[in-house]
Amino acid sequence: PPPSSSTSTSTSSSPSPPPRTRGGRRWPRAAPAPAPALALALLAAASMALFALVLHARPARPLASRLLRSAGARPAACPAPPAALFSPAFLSASGRSAHYRRSSSRPLTARAGRAAAKATPPTDPDPNPLVEMGGPASLFPPYDRIGAGVVAEGMREVVRDTEAALAELEAGARPSWEGLVEPLERLQEPLAKAWGAVQHLKMVRDSEALRAAVEEVQPEVVAVLLRIGQSRAVADAFRAIRADGAQWARLSDAQRRIVEAQILDSVLSGGALEGERQERFNEIQQELARLSTSFGNNVLDATKAFAVLKTEPREVRGLPESALALAAQQAREKGHGGATPESGPWLFTLDIPSYQAVLTYAEDRDFRAAMYRAFITRASSMDESKGDNSEVILTTLRLRQEKAELLGYKHHADVSLATKMADLDGALKLLSELRENSFDAAKREHEELQAFAEGKGAGFQLQQWDTGFYAEKLRQERYALDEEKLRVYFSLPEVLDGLIRLIERLFDVKVEEAPFTPPLWHESVMFYQVTDKETGKAKAYFYLDPYTRPAEKRGGAWMNTVVGRSSLLAPPGETVRLPVAHMVLNQAPPVDGKPSLMKFREVETLFHEMGHALQHMLTTQTEGMVAGINNVEWDAVEQPSQFMENWLYDEPTLMGLAKHYETKEPMPHEEYEKIKSARTFRSGSVMARQLHFATTDLLLHSEFDPSKESPYDLDRRVAKMHEALEPQEYDRFLNAFSHIFAGGYSAGYYSYKWAEVLSADCFAAFEEVGLEDEAKVKETGRRFRDTILALGGGLSPMEVFKAFRGREPSVEPLLRHSGLVPAASKA
């Protein structure tokens, strides 16, 4: 699900033009729906317009550029959705059986031992781990040895080695696959692995010393990335490959996509600039990297700085047992040794599990208001931390505009969209069309909620800190659904078991705790192996870091790559390097002897991130630059993740994992029916909020003029056009909008709706063969694996989709899943 300034750090949006003719075909427009069918016009407009966008897909950017683009911190998300969506950028930070058995004391298997033995022994008796991990035999970063003290020295050595390799390539570059592309992939890999490990640790185990080390060496990393992206010799060689008709004809589709992406990247990296213009471009890139890091640090510091201790039971009335247990545990960790869930004291923070519980359940309105204000003013002059992102935002917007003009673009939005499916006009037209259909629905929903609250004794106009509280009460009353009470059926071990069974059923692989444990960054991290059922050979590995750690770990959820599949970079004696992924969540940890008990939305988040990981791990591409999520257009990268979410509304799947954590009794069937019925509750308001953020993002990066208004004025102006409630005067949500200021989502927040159309249509393929027909489901699952998950960025997203569905996308499945087909027919 997209992020909300009041309840989540995730992100989402939607872009696309209204139905239009492209490629000789006109996509039909749905007639306006009657008022009661609140989501029909909403979703219809979204999907139909989105189809036009995919017809002019462009290749995504290569590794060096993606590294550079997010040289700061990753956005704290790819939640459900996003999103952490996922960006494969290594510069941005970024196993699993159903059990919690730790295996760190077990020796490596013979296979892992052989791989380690084949690595070239270092001459230094105590080599820097960042340098040591650059070899092809190294799949798993030595997280136990990467501390702040080794970062500057290690990264400098890796940078020097990269510069030397680039100089050698430039001196002897030949316009051929073997003479250009393969050496380029090799020279970038050690830098990607080392910097990726550093940035990952900064996301999950932050410290002042690590920050200082990263800030010290980051300019040198950015400089070498700029050198790679701006290399004239490399760019000219790529153009020569494309111009050589005979050689071009011999290249595969995947190889051609790589060449095209590298040529475009050269332009967007400033490779066509000269003299002072290129020098200025490089200065801007360095400063943007620094600002991105600063922005993320300020958000984390502000989140950590706030805590409120409650000592009286009346102050926490309404909060469920799970929230009180977490608050008591946090109090004990801060020195209140006798804290209990029943008697307190209770410590609450701005970390999402704590914050959401207060906004949703606390009866004390003043408590909710104080928590909301603290959250919405993070990293501003109004919070309790030292870092104010106000000037960071202004400087970032100014530099992005200047950079766009240097590259010959009108504004940053055009630069961002140059590598996406949509163009700016198309994205804005879709958002406008969606707004026309969602704004009235959102207002009706708010009026309904106001009336409901007044019926419950509320003698005031609802504010942002009230809507979640009364919406939960309304949902419980309308559907008799209490999501908090369902936690007992969603313990992490049981949910993982169910997810693994689904993966094994659909994709014919085995997922289990790996037979060895590489170095981990925290004792609660799990490590898993994905195995091919037919051959019994390992296909991939992944880490799972599920629990929140407010003092050191960024909020949100994301998947990021450790290493990708590549035949060129195969370890000695192997034919291909296996992919490895990180999956990072932020749910409540085990408390008082109980396992982590999840809300249904947290279950969705886990399935969502696993969808990203599966695309990375089950790829069959052997060209590393397009394997897995590499080179997949941003607009389509959410497709596998949102596809996996659909399975939670499949009765056998959900009921198979929903078991009481103590008795193992299945969740009552009527609770499944309630979950299914409540799927689109307040969907107009949810959509309106997404459109608010998506439109703000695009306008900040296309028409914002600081001489006429502040970023907050623009945000407030857009909010009034989209949401039933106007923002508070003190609202500084932008100061914590990490997706667009500390990650890869700038002028890209619109992306999620297109992927939702694709994912719904993909799930429809299973419905069409019959979800009860096991043989057909498995057959369709294998086809999904062999297309959507396997082909990566080697083909355009439309061609990959057509390989699975046999046709272009249809809007009907999304409308049907939303219960809107009858309304559409009447219209």
Side-chain angles (χ1 to χ4, degrees):
S4 150
S5 66
S6 60
T7 60
S8 166
T9 53
S10 34
T11 307
S12 172
S13 144
S14 3
S16 245
R20 63 188 183 192
T21 302
R22 189 180 283 274
R25 176 172 182 178
R26 179 172 176 79
W27 298 98
R29 181 194 299 267
L38 78 91
L40 172 59
L42 194 63
L43 297 173
S47 7
M48 299 216 224
L50 281 159
F51 292 138
L53 292 179
V54 79
L55 298 181
H56 64 291
R58 308 176 180 114
R61 300 185 70 175
L63 172 63
S65 174
R66 294 195 305 272
L67 286 169
L68 185 58
R69 177 183 57 194
S70 40
R74 268 193 58 73
C78 169
L85 144 227
F86 165 78
S87 161
F90 285 96
L91 268 183
S92 319
S94 116
R96 230 193 37 203
S97 72
H99 311 290
Y100 287 90
R101 177 165 53 93
R102 296 300 332 131
S103 55
S104 57
S105 61
R106 285 184 284 165
L108 296 179
T109 58
R111 171 188 175 127
R114 287 196 303 271
K118 290 177 181 178
T120 304
T123 56
D124 188 329
D126 188 19
N128 189 294
L130 295 173
V131 178
E132 188 180 42
M133 66 183 284
S138 172
L139 296 184
F140 312 110
Y143 288 120
D144 57 339
R145 296 169 53 211
I146 304 175
V150 306
V151 168
E153 177 187 352
M155 287 310 307
R156 285 194 172 107
E157 186 169 345
V158 173
V159 166
R160 285 195 298 269
D161 290 346
T162 303
E163 289 173 336
L166 178 60
E168 183 179 348
L169 174 61
E170 289 175 323
R174 292 179 290 111
S176 67
W177 199 257
E178 298 77 13
L180 176 67
V181 185
E182 292 182 356
L184 183 62
E185 185 177 352
R186 283 195 189 96
L187 79 84
Q188 293 182 102
E189 189 62 19
L191 179 64
K193 286 163 66 174
W195 193 238
V198 170
Q199 287 294 327
H200 172 71
L201 287 176
K202 191 172 181 303
M203 293 290 287
V204 298
R205 198 133 202 185
D206 192 29
S207 69
E208 289 299 327
L210 182 57
R211 283 188 187 183
V214 168
E215 289 171 6
E216 177 184 345
V217 77
Q218 180 172 282
E220 296 165 54
V221 176
V222 173
V224 74
L225 291 171
L226 285 168
R227 272 210 59 200
I228 295 170
Q230 295 174 355
S231 172
R232 290 289 179 88
V234 170
D236 289 346
F238 272 112
R239 292 188 180 92
I241 291 176
R242 186 173 62 178
D244 183 341
Q247 182 176 187
W248 188 252
R250 291 193 300 270
L251 297 183
S252 66
D253 290 337
Q255 290 172 327
R256 292 179 184 178
R257 290 252 303 170
I258 290 171
V259 172
E260 294 286 6
Q262 292 287 341
I263 292 171
L264 175 60
D265 181 65
S266 173
V267 175
L268 297 179
S269 297
L273 302 177
E274 295 182 355
E276 292 181 358
R277 292 173 63 81
Q278 189 173 85
E279 288 179 12
R280 179 55 185 157
F281 179 92
N282 292 348
E283 290 172 359
I284 290 172
Q285 290 291 74
Q286 288 282 8
E287 181 63 6
L288 286 174
R290 187 192 67 78
L291 290 167
S292 177
T293 298
S294 178
F295 189 100
N297 288 343
N298 289 342
V299 174
L300 180 58
D301 289 346
T303 303
K304 290 192 302 181
F306 179 89
V308 58
L309 187 71
K310 296 294 184 180
T311 58
E312 298 295 329
R314 60 178 173 76
E315 295 177 299
V316 297
R317 190 176 296 124
L319 285 162
E321 178 187 353
S322 62
L324 295 176
L326 177 60
Q329 178 170 289
Q330 292 176 159
R332 291 194 297 272
E333 291 172 353
K334 294 297 183 181
H336 301 274
T340 67
E342 297 77 19
S343 304
W346 304 273
L347 187 72
F348 296 91
T349 72
L350 297 181
D351 201 44
I352 290 301
S354 181
Y355 171 77
Q356 279 187 331
V358 174
L359 267 288
T360 306
Y361 298 107
E363 293 181 8
D364 185 337
R365 187 173 187 238
D366 290 340
F367 183 19
R368 297 198 309 268
M371 290 288 284
Y372 176 79
R373 180 170 183 131
F375 189 89
I376 209 68
T377 58
R378 286 179 301 163
S380 75
S381 60
M382 302 177 213
D383 77 357
E384 299 177 10
S385 66
K386 298 179 181 178
D388 183 354
N389 276 335
S390 303
E391 285 301 318
V392 176
I393 290 172
L394 283 170
T395 305
T396 297
L397 293 173
R398 176 177 58 79
L399 291 177
R400 285 174 177 172
Q401 176 64 28
E402 184 181 353
K403 171 185 164 184
E405 292 172 359
L406 282 170
L407 292 174
Y409 288 88
K410 185 177 180 181
H411 38 59
H412 175 73
D414 282 347
V415 175
S416 174
L417 292 163
T419 55
K420 297 179 176 67
M421 300 177 194
D423 57 28
L424 179 61
D425 287 344
L428 286 173
K429 284 179 182 176
L430 173 65
L431 297 178
S432 175
E433 197 165 310
L434 290 176
R435 184 255 175 209
E436 291 174 7
N437 292 288
S438 63
F439 185 52
D440 288 345
K443 286 197 298 184
R444 287 195 302 272
E445 290 170 359
H446 184 72
E447 290 165 1
E448 175 188 53
L449 191 64
Q450 180 70 45
F452 173 81
E454 291 172 358
K456 297 296 182 183
F460 47 79
Q461 291 297 305
L462 296 183
Q463 301 298 323
Q464 284 83 355
W465 52 90
D466 301 313
T467 54
F469 177 75
Y470 285 102
E472 178 62 20
K473 289 188 176 298
L474 176 59
R475 186 173 67 155
Q476 290 182 21
E477 186 170 300
R478 178 173 296 174
Y479 302 103
L481 176 64
D482 187 342
E483 189 174 324
E484 184 61 32
K485 290 182 179 178
L486 294 182
R487 281 183 185 266
V488 295
Y489 296 105
F490 297 126
S491 68
L492 181 58
E494 295 293 349
V495 171
L496 286 172
D497 263 341
L499 176 55
I500 287 170
R501 285 194 299 272
L502 177 65
I503 292 168
E504 294 180 346
R505 172 192 177 206
L506 294 179
F507 308 130
D508 201 30
V509 294
K510 187 174 180 60
V511 181
E512 57 190 347
E513 186 177 8
F516 64 93
T517 301
L520 306 174
W521 56 91
H522 192 271
E523 61 184 7
S524 64
V525 174
M526 297 165 248
F527 183 69
Y528 297 92
Q529 176 175 296
V530 181
T531 306
D532 188 299
K533 281 186 180 178
E534 278 189 25
T535 66
K537 294 182 178 180
K539 289 181 67 70
Y541 301 93
F542 66 93
Y543 303 82
L544 176 62
D545 184 353
Y547 308 130
T548 182
R549 297 188 296 275
E552 63 180 12
K553 184 179 178 184
R554 300 254 172 141
W558 63 91
M559 188 285 290
N560 215 343
T561 64
V562 181
V563 295
R565 180 179 168 90
S566 171
S567 58
L568 180 70
L569 301 174
E574 304 288 345
T575 59
V576 68
R577 183 179 69 180
L578 301 182
V580 184
H582 295 133
M583 282 177 57
V584 183
L585 310 174
N586 264 287
Q587 63 196 54
V591 176
D592 295 337
K594 299 177 182 179
S596 176
L597 300 178
M598 306 169 70
K599 297 190 76 169
F600 181 74
R601 289 178 184 176
E602 292 174 327
V603 179
E604 284 185 315
T605 298
L606 174 60
F607 272 58
H608 179 98
E609 300 308 329
M610 179 55 76
H612 287 307
L614 288 169
Q615 186 174 29
H616 174 63
M617 295 188 294
L618 299 188
T619 184
T620 57
Q621 291 283 1
T622 57
E623 295 290 350
M625 293 183 178
V626 291
I629 49 90
N630 286 339
N631 211 44
V632 175
E633 278 78 354
W634 198 274
D635 313 54
V637 80
E638 292 294 328
Q639 180 183 354
S641 54
Q642 293 178 340
F643 165 81
M644 289 298 293
E645 291 181 47
N646 282 288
W647 286 98
L648 285 171
Y649 297 92
D650 171 55
E651 183 176 349
T653 300
L654 183 62
M655 295 302 292
L657 61 80
K659 299 177 183 177
H660 195 283
Y661 76 98
E662 289 180 319
T663 68
K664 306 305 177 186
E665 289 294 315
M667 182 177 69
H669 183 268
E670 55 265 28
E671 298 296 337
Y672 163 75
E673 293 296 339
K674 294 174 187 177
I675 290 173
K676 190 174 180 180
S677 298
R679 187 176 185 181
T680 58
F681 177 60
R682 286 178 58 81
S683 56
S685 299
V686 171
M687 176 65 80
R689 195 138 185 83
Q690 295 177 33
L691 297 176
H692 164 197
F693 294 136
T695 306
T696 297
D697 172 34
L698 286 175
L699 296 186
L700 281 174
H701 291 104
S702 60
E703 67 173 43
F704 172 64
D705 183 346
S707 68
K708 297 179 179 178
E709 61 183 347
S710 73
Y712 313 111
D713 293 334
L714 184 148
D715 180 48
R716 186 168 285 104
R717 171 164 57 88
V718 174
K720 290 178 181 179
M721 297 169 57
H722 291 84
E723 302 206 52
L725 270 180
E726 292 187 12
Q728 300 294 320
E729 283 300 317
Y730 55 76
D731 187 307
R732 291 296 182 271
F733 169 70
L734 290 179
N735 286 43
F737 199 177
S738 296
H739 292 82
I740 68 171
F741 292 114
Y745 281 86
S746 59
Y749 187 71
Y750 70 85
S751 302
Y752 292 92
K753 280 299 163 188
W754 166 243
E756 190 176 348
V757 174
L758 295 175
S759 64
D761 203 342
C762 285
F763 188 74
F766 292 83
E767 296 174 315
E768 290 164 12
V769 301
L771 290 171
E772 70 289 342
D773 189 329
E774 187 64 11
K776 291 291 187 181
V777 166
K778 287 184 175 180
E779 177 186 332
T780 308
R782 307 304 187 267
R783 196 169 73 250
F784 185 88
R785 177 198 67 189
D786 295 339
T787 52
I788 305 296
L789 299 181
L791 297 178
L795 287 176
S796 72
M798 177 60 85
E799 292 306 311
V800 173
F801 182 89
K802 287 162 65 176
F804 173 63
R805 284 300 262 149
R807 57 165 175 75
E808 294 179 349
S810 166
V811 64
E812 190 274 337
L814 182 57
L815 298 176
R816 178 166 48 79
H817 291 167
S818 304
L820 301 172
V821 168
S825 302
K826 291 175 186 176

